[in-house]
Amino acid sequence: MKKIASILLAGSLLAGGVLAAGSTGDPLVTLSYLNGSYSSSLLSQAQTRIDDETQDVYQQVLQESGLAGGLSDARYKQGDALTLSTGSGCLLLAGQATVSYASGAVVDVTSGTVLPSGSSLELRHRYLAAENTTAVLSVTSATAVLSTEGRAALAPSAATDYNALADALSAMGLFAGTGTAYGSGYDLEKTTTRVEGLVMFLRLMGEESAAQSYTGACPFSDVPAWAQRYVAYAYQKGYTAGVGPDAAGNPAFGPARSMGAAEYVTFLLRALGYQDGGSAPDFTWQTALTFAQEQGVLTAGECSLFQSGQPFLRAHVAYLSYFALDAAPKGGSGTLLESLVAAGAMDGVTSAAIRANVSVSRIV
């Protein structure tokens, strides 16, 4: 369709006097030039003009519908459904979602095509509900970030709200973003790295301030500047070790390597006082998930979920970290949260107020 439109516009440019014809004996341009460089250049100009016209039409629809004003991003969970009416638009920034509609059309403004009902949205493609169209966007990943403009009615699902848990942890000072400019910067859709898991562990230990003020040298060559104090502190405390030498023979930590659920639960168990080393370890990282279930740190449903082999996401880190606050330390009473408050690492009143507004149920 776009190619046909380009050819038609090219023809109109020719007819409109872009090219002045010469005589057969003295042509102004050669046939090879027409068929080669000029034709290619003309089609390129035509396509640019078509793209500009498409964007102009898109903006005109928004203005006429009173829907202009720019995109506004928000976080959603699996099963959430957003209904868009004529003239409304959306942009998928993270996660996965599909679109469905009974009649009309949803236009992929980025590619200049119509998106068939039942299709998955492409990341960073801008979509527009055309005339007489009611489109439903359904989130199919654990979390997603969508920007919308215009009218979008939300029908929330009952799925686990990892976003709410990340919000609560962030408000308590236990979870930070990665600097991404959308979705609160949480990047819950990304897999967890070793260095991210380590930082969360230090926060749950109540030792982030100590790590930030640590001045010892970092023994690893591959740790980014922002994380060197965290890693150096954790190494000095015996909380973590490297992954062996890099290609140049230097000690490496592997900060960007993906971390699995068992590795992160190992950190959580250590924060609760359990040992996975020494002469009489309580568990090993291979048994971390089942041991955590036996100790009541994980439910049966959580253990099954994290044994399934699915990617371990930052969303899962938020989930496990939030509910670990309710777990009892080894051989003690109370909870991890209470021990953090007692140590002065967190404010009990503030934390209680934040958690009172969270209604997320555990996976049982």
Side-chain angles (χ1 to χ4, degrees):
M1 180 66 73
K2 292 179 71 179
K3 183 175 182 181
I4 293 172
S6 296
I7 293 172
L8 290 174
L9 183 54
S12 69
L13 290 173
L14 285 167
V18 173
L19 177 64
S23 68
T24 56
D26 184 22
L28 296 180
V29 292
T30 64
L31 182 60
S32 62
Y33 177 72
L34 280 173
N35 292 334
S37 301
Y38 182 77
S39 177
S40 175
S41 174
L42 189 61
L43 289 176
S44 176
Q45 294 177 47
Q47 186 59 63
T48 298
R49 186 173 297 182
I50 289 171
D51 291 341
D52 290 343
E53 290 290 340
T54 301
Q55 186 62 29
D56 289 344
V57 171
Y58 178 76
Q59 294 298 335
Q60 182 179 354
V61 170
L62 292 178
Q63 292 288 347
E64 292 176 352
S65 304
L67 303 178
L71 292 163
S72 174
D73 72 74
R75 289 201 145 274
Y76 299 94
K77 62 183 181 300
Q78 189 168 32
D80 282 354
L82 279 167
T83 300
L84 302 181
S85 56
T86 296
S88 298
C90 71
L91 187 76
L92 178 66
L93 294 170
Q96 300 170 352
T98 60
V99 63
S100 60
Y101 52 93
S103 61
V106 170
V107 179
D108 182 337
V109 178
T110 302
S111 64
T113 60
V114 172
L115 187 68
S117 179
S119 299
S120 297
L121 301 184
E122 294 286 341
L123 286 172
R124 300 185 180 280
H125 277 221
R126 202 168 187 177
Y127 298 95
L128 172 70
E131 186 177 4
N132 298 322
T133 301
T134 299
V136 178
L137 309 178
S138 300
V139 176
T140 57
S141 51
T143 60
V145 181
L146 280 159
S147 285
T148 58
E149 52 189 340
R151 301 183 181 92
L154 172 65
S157 75
T160 301
D161 194 347
Y162 297 101
N163 302 306
L165 299 180
D167 282 337
L169 288 173
S170 176
M172 289 188 285
L174 293 175
F175 192 81
T178 62
T180 299
Y182 53 81
S184 301
Y186 292 159
D187 276 337
L188 300 183
E189 300 73 25
K190 293 184 177 180
T191 54
T192 307
T193 65
R194 278 172 50 83
V195 73
E196 290 169 348
L198 175 63
V199 171
M200 279 299 299
F201 163 69
L202 292 174
R203 288 173 181 157
L204 292 173
M205 289 284 288
E207 298 180 23
E208 182 175 23
S209 294
Q212 290 175 330
S213 60
Y214 184 68
T215 58
C218 181
F220 305 109
S221 61
D222 58 346
V223 177
W226 71 266
Q228 287 187 359
R229 292 192 177 191
Y230 288 100
V231 175
Y233 174 85
Y235 179 79
Q236 179 267 337
K237 294 282 289 187
Y239 294 151
T240 190
V243 296
D246 60 17
N250 300 312
F253 178 73
R257 288 192 185 184
S258 294
M259 171 177 277
E263 294 175 88
Y264 190 67
V265 171
T266 294
F267 274 151
L268 293 180
L269 290 170
R270 290 176 185 171
L272 291 167
Y274 296 100
Q275 301 296 319
D276 59 325
S279 58
D282 298 305
F283 71 100
T284 64
W285 76 265
Q286 292 93 337
T287 64
L289 294 175
T290 54
F291 180 79
Q293 182 184 344
E294 292 167 359
Q295 304 306 313
V297 179
L298 296 182
T299 67
E302 291 162 355
C303 187
S304 177
L305 171 66
F306 295 119
Q307 284 178 327
S308 66
Q310 67 171 291
F312 185 61
L313 306 175
R314 285 173 57 85
H316 299 137
V317 168
Y319 178 96
L320 287 173
S321 301
Y322 182 87
F323 288 114
L325 295 173
D326 296 319
K330 176 185 177 181
S333 59
T335 65
L336 176 60
L337 177 58
E338 289 171 349
S339 66
L340 289 172
V341 171
M346 296 182 65
D347 181 85
V349 175
T350 300
S351 298
I354 293 168
R355 301 192 84 207
N357 293 318
V358 177
S359 58
V360 180
S361 299
R362 297 191 71 164
I363 300 168
V364 297

